Amino acid sequence: MNVSVFRSQLEEELAWRTEEILFFQNQCANIDKQDQQEKFRRALVLLLYSNFEGFCAFALQLYVIAINQEEVECSKANYAIVAASLHNVFVTLRTGNKKAEEFKTTAPDDSKLHLFSRDREFVEKAYDILKRKVKIPEGTVNTESNLNSIVLRKNLYRLGLPHEQFQSMEPDIEKLLGLRNKIAHGETKQGVSALLYEELRSSALHVMSEITTELTKAFSEKKYLLPMGN
């Protein structure tokens, strides 16, 4: 996948989600009574958040797909990408029950020895392991139960991206999520004013646009690779 295709897919995803938001927003404008408009905007907040979360998940997963298609050796990828690619290896090292062939009979219950054996085998095969092609597994991108600012940071961190790059926008993300949860969980029955909705919509679309820009830049500049000289 080249950069132009990557950018195009992000922009197409952003475009249809923006159009959907604006379509229902226009329906609200056709309602005559203000109190009914405010009630309608409650639903718009839910729609706004679902599109925000859905777009972020799509964008980050597309970044994963694009990196995997590059077929870079682990030895050349940045540390986060390698760690993600070798997740199954590390799970085996930490929790596996594989026992050393030499001591299966003489020391069958020596867990520390068998753990050392797995560490030793990893060292022996480290060169071959680092020659593997990067393959970030499904599930690395995880929006959890809600995509709040902390969850967004965690996903960026897992992909070796600056996890604080959207820090200035985090209060807007939390405000949108907070109101969405209150509405979805029945904690508030109040309508949503035009001013508040416009603020939330503007913030959500701004974050989505910035994610498009920053991920495109990261892919274009090959941020998934180790810096030159490492």
Side-chain angles (χ1 to χ4, degrees), residues 7-195:
R7 174 80 185 201
S8 176
Q9 290 193 32
L10 287 179
E11 289 179 342
E12 288 176 10
E13 185 76 9
L14 180 59
W16 81 256
R17 290 183 180 279
T18 301
E19 289 173 7
E20 181 174 82
I21 292 167
L22 294 178
F23 172 81
F24 286 102
Q25 181 180 309
N26 291 336
Q27 305 311 304
C28 182
N30 294 328
I31 298 174
D32 294 329
K33 295 183 179 180
Q34 181 176 330
D35 62 329
Q36 291 181 353
Q37 285 187 349
E38 292 181 348
K39 184 179 293 186
F40 191 90
R41 289 192 199 97
R42 284 168 53 85
L44 284 179
V45 169
L46 301 180
L47 178 72
L48 183 61
Y49 175 78
S50 68
N51 275 291
F52 166 73
E53 182 183 86
F55 175 79
C56 290
F58 172 86
L60 293 169
Q61 189 58 45
L62 182 66
Y63 186 66
V64 167
I65 291 170
I67 292 173
N68 285 345
Q69 289 181 358
E70 291 295 291
E71 296 192 328
V72 176
E73 284 186 4
C74 285
S75 61
K76 298 177 182 178
N78 72 42
Y79 303 127
I81 297 300
V82 176
S85 297
L86 301 182
H87 173 71
N88 289 340
V89 173
F90 295 128
V91 168
T92 300
L93 287 173
R94 291 192 293 264
T95 63
N97 57 10
K98 181 180 177 183
K99 296 182 179 181
E101 290 291 334
E102 298 85 347
F103 299 102
K104 280 185 176 180
T105 302
T106 56
D109 298 319
D110 193 335
S111 59
K112 291 183 179 180
L113 180 63
H114 295 308
L115 176 59
F116 174 80
S117 171
R118 293 197 296 274
D119 292 346
R120 171 179 164 171
E121 186 176 6
F122 174 80
V123 172
E124 289 174 353
K125 296 181 178 179
Y127 179 82
D128 291 333
I129 289 173
L130 291 177
K131 284 292 183 180
R132 292 183 184 180
K133 304 296 185 183
V134 161
K135 186 67 175 179
I136 304 171
E138 185 177 348
T140 299
V141 172
N142 185 0
T143 58
E144 301 182 21
S145 56
N146 291 130
L147 182 63
N148 58 31
S149 57
I150 298 300
V151 172
L152 180 58
R153 278 185 178 236
K154 288 195 289 186
N155 279 284
L156 294 170
Y157 178 76
R158 291 189 192 105
L159 298 178
L161 297 168
H163 65 275
E164 75 289 347
Q165 62 182 305
F166 301 115
Q167 185 174 12
S168 63
M169 306 174 202
E170 289 178 356
D172 297 327
I173 296 173
E174 294 303 314
K175 190 171 186 178
L176 172 60
L177 176 59
L179 182 56
R180 176 263 186 190
N181 284 344
K182 285 183 178 180
I183 292 172
H185 300 158
E187 296 176 23
T188 178
K189 297 180 181 179
Q190 293 182 340
V192 177
S193 69
L195 182 63

